[in-house]
Amino acid sequence: MAANTSGFEGASKIKNSPSSMIFYIIAYIVVAFMAIVCLVPFLIMVSGSFTAEKYITFHGFNIYPVEFSTSAYQIIFKNPATVAKAYGVSIYVTLLGTFLGLMITAATSYVLGRKDFKYRNKFSFFFYFTTLFNGGLVCTYIFFVRYLHLSNSLWAIILPGMFSVFNMLIMRTFVVGIPTALIESAKIDGAGEYRIFFSIILPLLKPGLATIGLFLALAYWNNWYNAMLFITDTDKFPLQYMLYNTLQKAEAMSRIAAQAGIVVADVPSNSLKMAMAVVATGPILIVYPFVQKYFVAGITIGSVKG
Amino acid sequence: MKYLKNFGAEFRKNKPLFSMIAPAFILTLVLSYIPMVGLILAFKEWNFAGGVFGSKWNGLANFRFLFASGKGWLITRNTILYNLLNLVTSQALAIVLSIFITEIRAKYFKKITQSLIFLPYFISWVLVGIFVFAIFNYETGMLNNLRASFGKEPYNIYQVPGIWPFLICAFNSWKWSGYNSVIYIAAITGVDQEIYEAAAIDGANIFQRIRHIMLPCIRPTVVTMLLLQIGRILRGDFEMFYQIVGSNGQLYDMTDVIDTYVFRSLTTSSNIGMTTAAAFYQSAVCFIVIIVVNAIVKKIDADYALF
């Protein structure tokens, strides 16, 4: 985030009046308070996952583990079949969806960014219209299940997330930044359109690809809604939907318990829920510090474009 | 005819470009445009064997049924009120935060707090649902844990429907404040630094700088955000409502929006006709509203129009 928020350094040279001192005190307090409010739920989650079930039953969740215990994680990793499968599904969906989505978004943005492409406004409108009007859940559901036969297919998760107008607009900003002369001279040198796209445009679009790739990957990783609609086979549950099931349905919890060889009554359900949440969110929290700046860049471009 | 001929010539000339745009075109056609045909179900009496085309027409009966039960008005009211409430609170919070953050100069404080505030954007609503459980559930929630330590009775939040609009609004603002403040920070810092420095040298205090420089800077952004949200006035954030409220029937009067209602009808009662009618009504009203509002904005100041 730092890149965009260098602030107004010049102003710092001016001496602060008492009223502006109060402003700064309030600013620090409000921002710090908000940061804490954003952090606390994560602390409750992590601490809950490391707290002995008995403590939670009697005293409830806390922001730090009072009675430390790793039994929830032991259950998950004793027989990690459920978690491992869900991880596999999520990774598969995220990788395939992100790759295909990137290719489609880059190709479309490139064509629509080419000023010599005569029908670019018409195509842009064709895509943009879908953000103004759509068939809604029922029509999509009936069409997917009855006519495309996508029940229990991971394509029901991958296909709808591949192309979005928002991503296309951001990518087009990157495309427009590439000088037209480059394309012209490649043409003169005898390169075909495909060649130009793959060996000149794509390498130059790397920053855009990184940004959009991360947006896509995050959306796929966090997707549970499409899984809830279309997937009933528990072996095909992605991580977030499996997590939701663990929270909502006792049977999902007892399946994990059975795999770990525990009697259902002894399942530390509260701490187990939190441990599952940690396991499902872990990858995002780990990569977050490294990818944050790409999201800031993408959101900034998206907002400028409107 | 001439138009088709031109298109044909253009197509032959630029075959590779057309082939590059084809995947997105086909995808959008199949996933977005073809399902729109299904909206005719709003005017039909659904039967499973007949499907979209075989079912019998029944005029406006589905719409009449939706509104006669009172349910149509209730979910419309809830959806609009939630959208207005969420729009005002989340944007106001983001604007305040972004002004404060740009003014704060302690480098590490700024970096760390910004990262934390941006964090909720990265998690799924499922995780937010788990947070709601961890904080508010009756037996083991952190809230009742705190109340107990002050010697107070536990509080069953699921029996107090009136508190849910505030909760939902709080979680919405919580999740989006980081994302939105990135947008506003970009708008504020997008202005020429020299203007800001000149103002400071001329003796403008912080409040004058906010009033005369920062707020004008973010005005176009505010208008854009407003327009985007108005175009969604009848659309509820399904994932948020579904994960925060769950299936607590006694809360529905306060928390049901069109999207959750449609989903529940689809999965439980399977009244396809009425559900499609609700979706049609939602899409059509949003479409008309955004077209009208955009036209008005265009008349007042064309720079602010979305399209």
Side-chain angles (χ1 to χ4, degrees):
Chain A
M1 250 178 158
N4 288 296
T5 58
S6 54
F8 301 104
E9 304 300 339
S12 61
K13 292 175 198 112
I14 310 296
K15 210 165 179 288
N16 288 326
S17 65
S19 69
S20 66
M21 274 304 286
I22 294 171
F23 171 86
Y24 284 108
I25 291 169
I26 293 174
Y28 275 91
I29 291 173
V30 169
V31 172
F33 175 76
M34 191 62 202
I36 291 168
V37 169
C38 288
L39 179 65
V40 162
F42 292 92
L43 292 181
I44 300 175
M45 168 181 83
V46 176
S47 113
S49 72
F50 282 111
T51 304
E53 185 67 14
K54 228 174 41 215
Y55 180 85
I56 299 176
T57 320
F58 285 112
H59 303 280
F61 290 107
N62 212 324
I63 51 172
Y64 60 93
V66 182
E67 266 176 53
F68 189 82
S69 155
T70 55
S71 61
Y73 289 99
Q74 280 168 17
I75 290 176
I76 294 177
F77 292 113
K78 198 166 181 183
N79 189 339
T82 308
V83 177
K85 251 182 213 146
Y87 250 95
V89 172
S90 278
I91 290 171
Y92 173 78
V93 165
T94 304
L95 287 182
L96 189 61
T98 304
F99 174 74
L100 293 175
L102 265 184
M103 282 296 133
I104 289 185
T105 309
T108 312
S109 315
Y110 168 64
V111 176
L112 294 181
R114 280 271 297 257
K115 289 192 186 63
D116 57 338
F117 185 64
K118 212 173 147 192
Y119 292 94
R120 70 177 196 285
N121 285 334
K122 297 214 165 60
F123 276 107
S124 295
F125 179 77
F126 173 83
F127 294 124
Y128 187 70
F129 182 75
T130 59
T131 64
L132 298 175
F133 192 85
N134 60 60
L137 169 66
V138 191
C139 301
T140 313
Y141 182 81
I142 293 175
F143 183 64
F144 271 43
V145 171
R146 195 178 169 120
Y147 297 96
L148 297 181
H149 305 290
L150 285 176
S151 305
N152 272 325
S153 159
L154 292 179
W155 288 105
I157 304 173
I158 293 172
L159 288 176
M162 263 160 58
F163 182 74
S164 90
V165 176
F166 177 77
N167 288 345
M168 194 262 290
L169 289 175
I170 294 176
M171 189 69 102
R172 203 169 63 177
T173 322
F174 285 97
V175 170
V176 172
I178 297 171
T180 340
L182 224 57
I183 301 167
E184 297 299 325
S185 65
K187 265 188 191 161
I188 292 163
D189 290 345
E193 291 287 2
Y194 297 116
R195 178 101 191 264
I196 293 173
F197 177 69
F198 283 106
S199 22
I200 298 175
I201 301 298
L202 274 189
L204 287 172
L205 275 182
K206 260 183 213 155
L209 292 172
T211 304
I212 300 303
L214 287 166
F215 273 114
L216 285 167
L218 182 70
Y220 277 119
W221 188 264
N222 277 343
N223 187 296
W224 57 276
Y225 177 60
N226 291 62
M228 178 171 77
L229 286 177
F230 301 111
I231 312 283
T232 48
D233 178 356
T234 48
D235 285 348
K236 287 181 179 168
F237 282 180
L239 206 45
Q240 297 297 327
Y241 187 53
M242 187 216 63
L243 178 65
Y244 172 72
N245 260 281
T246 329
L247 186 71
Q248 294 298 322
K249 302 201 173 91
E251 59 193 271
M253 191 67 96
S254 47
R255 192 164 50 239
I256 295 164
Q259 280 169 0
I262 324 171
V263 188
V264 175
D266 294 340
V267 178
S269 66
N270 282 302
S271 53
L272 191 56
K273 279 170 187 169
M274 297 303 138
M276 292 292 258
V278 171
V279 169
T281 318
I284 289 183
L285 298 181
I286 291 166
V287 299
Y288 175 62
F290 308 101
V291 300
Q292 197 190 355
K293 62 172 189 279
Y294 292 98
F295 283 93
V296 171
I299 294 167
T300 305
I301 294 164
S303 74
V304 173
K305 290 264 89 178
Chain B
M1 240 9 244
K2 196 168 166 242
Y3 184 81
L4 271 180
K5 221 168 158 185
N6 282 342
F7 185 84
E10 188 70 22
F11 182 78
R12 272 189 297 280
K13 200 175 83 192
N14 280 324
K15 248 184 212 159
L17 291 185
F18 278 96
S19 77
M20 280 186 227
I21 209 171
F25 181 83
I26 294 167
L27 202 65
T28 308
L29 187 71
V30 172
L31 298 188
S32 299
Y33 281 91
I34 293 179
M36 283 181 201
V37 176
L39 285 174
I40 59 170
L41 282 174
F43 307 96
K44 284 185 164 199
E45 192 185 323
W46 167 263
N47 76 70
F48 189 81
V52 174
F53 299 105
S55 298
K56 269 206 314 277
W57 295 95
N58 69 351
L60 294 175
N62 290 324
F63 293 91
R64 229 175 286 136
F65 190 61
L66 175 69
F67 286 98
S69 62
K71 201 70 200 175
W73 298 116
L74 179 79
I75 54 177
T76 303
R77 182 203 72 180
N78 282 353
T79 312
I80 292 175
L81 288 182
Y82 271 112
N83 277 334
L84 293 178
L85 184 70
N86 285 341
L87 174 66
V88 172
T89 50
S90 67
Q91 299 302 324
L93 179 67
I95 290 170
V96 169
L97 282 176
S98 58
I99 290 175
F100 284 167
I101 288 172
T102 36
E103 276 296 324
I104 282 174
R105 283 161 216 147
K107 203 174 145 206
Y108 288 105
F109 177 85
K110 189 166 170 161
K111 235 181 165 167
I112 292 167
T113 50
Q114 269 186 299
S115 297
L116 288 175
I117 293 171
F118 199 23
L119 187 56
Y121 165 71
F122 289 84
I123 59 169
S124 70
W125 281 108
V126 174
L127 197 67
V128 178
I130 287 185
F131 290 166
V132 172
F133 166 81
I135 299 170
F136 296 110
N137 89 76
Y138 185 73
E139 285 93 16
T140 59
M142 171 122 161
L143 179 77
N144 282 340
N145 175 18
L146 278 176
R147 285 178 71 89
S149 62
F150 288 110
K152 286 186 176 159
E153 288 294 302
Y155 186 69
N156 192 347
I157 208 158
Y158 294 95
Q159 280 170 358
V160 195
I163 208 165
W164 285 83
F166 298 100
L167 266 185
I168 287 169
C169 168
F171 272 103
N172 180 67
S173 297
W174 178 82
K175 193 152 190 324
W176 291 105
S177 65
Y179 181 94
N180 287 332
S181 59
V182 168
I183 294 174
Y184 286 115
I185 287 170
I188 294 173
T189 50
V191 72
D192 196 343
Q193 292 254 137
E194 281 176 23
I195 298 175
Y196 205 88
E197 282 171 28
I201 289 162
D202 286 346
N205 67 27
I206 174 69
F207 303 105
Q208 287 164 327
R209 296 203 299 266
I210 291 174
R211 169 77 187 77
H212 296 291
I213 303 176
M214 287 189 184
L215 291 184
C217 281
I218 59 175
R219 212 173 73 171
T221 315
V222 174
V223 175
T224 309
M225 301 288 251
L226 227 73
L227 277 177
L228 286 174
Q229 287 304 313
I230 285 173
R232 304 180 47 81
I233 190 76
L234 276 190
R235 292 187 200 285
D237 185 342
F238 174 83
E239 300 198 10
M240 170 173 76
F241 284 94
Y242 192 75
Q243 290 296 344
I244 292 181
V245 179
S247 44
N248 289 288
Q250 71 269 38
L251 300 176
Y252 286 158
D253 279 356
M254 287 303 273
T255 61
D256 222 6
V257 291
I258 297 178
D259 299 81
T260 47
Y261 175 73
V262 165
F263 174 80
R264 224 176 35 250
S265 310
L266 181 70
T267 48
T268 57
S269 74
S270 288
N271 188 339
I272 300 286
M274 191 184 69
T275 318
T276 318
F280 182 82
Y281 156 71
Q282 177 184 45
S283 240
V285 171
C286 284
F287 183 68
I288 293 165
V289 166
I290 189 66
I291 295 291
V292 170
V293 170
N294 191 63
I296 294 169
V297 170
K298 212 170 190 168
K299 254 216 169 113
I300 298 169
D301 188 341
D303 286 346
Y304 286 138
L306 281 181
F307 47 84

